Amino acid sequence: MADEGRANKKRKRAKRRRSDRNKDFTDSIPDATETSGQDIVVSTSSDGKNSRRASGSSSFLDKMRARLSGGHFRMLNEKLYTCTGEEALNYFNEDQVLFDVYHTGYQEQMLHWPELPVNLITKWLKEHDPSFIVADFGCGDARLSKNVKNKVFSFDLVSKDPSVIACDMSNTPLDSSSVDVAVFCLSLMGVNYASYLAEARRVLKPRGWLLISEVKSRFDPSNGGADPNEFVRAVCELGFVSALKDFSNKMFILLYFKKKDEKISNGKDIDWPQLKPCLYKRR
């Protein structure tokens, strides 16, 4: 009998240990509402029983969607910096929703900038002849065309606006020597960016303006970026004269060129520096 009693006690202790372990395990699983950081609201129903509801469940889902969207944007952004313009065009033509994902993420990144280069380019155009015809290479949401009186041809990989022409920026439908200003605002993204600049030279009138704005880190030799002097030299070899270099902004640079009267090079024999991809870190 004594042996049986001791055996029963051992079984009861083992049962209690299993119960405690199960309790510890279930307590360690975070409640979905707790992971989202919202408050738990306790309400009383008509039958007197308390019920729990998560006041911020939608905010939790929104945060998760934003995180997934941010990761998708970074992937798309990296692809655009590491492929050709033709490859990017084909990629977005296969699924134009990806273009929306990219530009939504892009706009989110721009919210952190104290000043946008497109605003400075807009200001420059307003200070010059309103009859200037403009080609905006990589126009995004076509903000430039909506804020100036000039005639603006807006180009991008996908057209989400009737005013935007979808094309590879190295092959636009413009006639040669037909525009006064060519703009690249944060849009020298493809590995074949030199062909975009060659296309800009083709469509520009003699003494026409080439305006380039790019992220400053892409031109920081101390951090893997291109030497800005080498870039300016290459553009000049293409058939331009450097008119102004503005490095005063913390986030981006502005480069202004004027097209020479004579054709200098087809661009293929120029030693173009490799521009550092602008890759966003996860916030």
Side-chain angles (χ1 to χ4, degrees), residues 8-24:
N8 287 335
K9 287 181 180 180
K10 287 183 179 180
R11 284 194 293 270
K12 289 179 180 179
R13 284 196 296 269
K15 185 176 181 180
R16 281 197 299 269
R17 284 195 296 269
R18 287 194 298 271
S19 177
D20 290 341
R21 285 196 298 268
N22 288 339
K23 183 178 185 300
D24 292 339

Side-chain angles (χ1 to χ4, degrees), residues 25-173:
F25 175 72
T26 54
D27 286 346
S28 69
I29 301 175
D31 186 274
T33 56
E34 292 171 352
T35 59
S36 65
Q38 72 269 15
D39 297 330
I40 299 297
V41 179
V42 179
S43 61
T44 303
S45 60
S46 58
D47 60 2
K49 296 180 180 179
N50 289 337
S51 62
R52 289 158 55 93
R53 62 183 175 85
S55 62
S57 58
S58 60
S59 65
F60 170 64
L61 293 175
D62 289 341
K63 289 177 183 177
M64 293 303 296
R65 291 191 188 101
R67 184 173 299 176
L68 291 171
S69 178
H72 210 170
F73 161 72
R74 285 186 292 275
M75 180 197 74
L76 293 170
N77 184 69
E78 182 172 355
K79 182 173 183 64
L80 290 176
Y81 275 104
T82 55
C83 71
T84 66
E86 184 179 5
E87 289 170 340
L89 180 65
N90 293 335
Y91 183 71
F92 283 128
N93 279 340
E94 290 175 2
D95 188 353
Q96 294 192 5
V97 172
L98 296 177
F99 189 77
D100 294 330
V101 173
Y102 170 75
H103 272 283
T104 298
Y106 174 82
Q107 295 298 331
E108 170 62 25
Q109 294 293 331
M110 292 301 101
L111 291 176
H112 301 284
W113 285 34
E115 187 172 28
L116 299 181
V118 66
N119 294 337
L120 295 182
I121 293 173
T122 298
K123 182 175 181 293
W124 186 93
L125 284 171
K126 289 181 176 179
E127 293 172 349
H128 288 75
D129 193 338
S131 68
F132 276 173
I133 300 173
V134 181
D136 186 4
F137 290 79
C139 66
D141 58 3
R143 184 177 304 186
L144 185 64
S145 68
K146 297 171 184 175
N147 287 281
V148 295
K149 295 179 180 179
N150 306 72
K151 168 64 177 177
V152 179
F153 291 98
S154 301
F155 302 107
D156 216 318
L157 295 169
V158 173
S159 175
K160 294 290 185 177
D161 185 297
S163 66
V164 177
I165 301 169
C167 67
D168 176 359
M169 290 190 297
S170 66
N171 184 25
T172 70

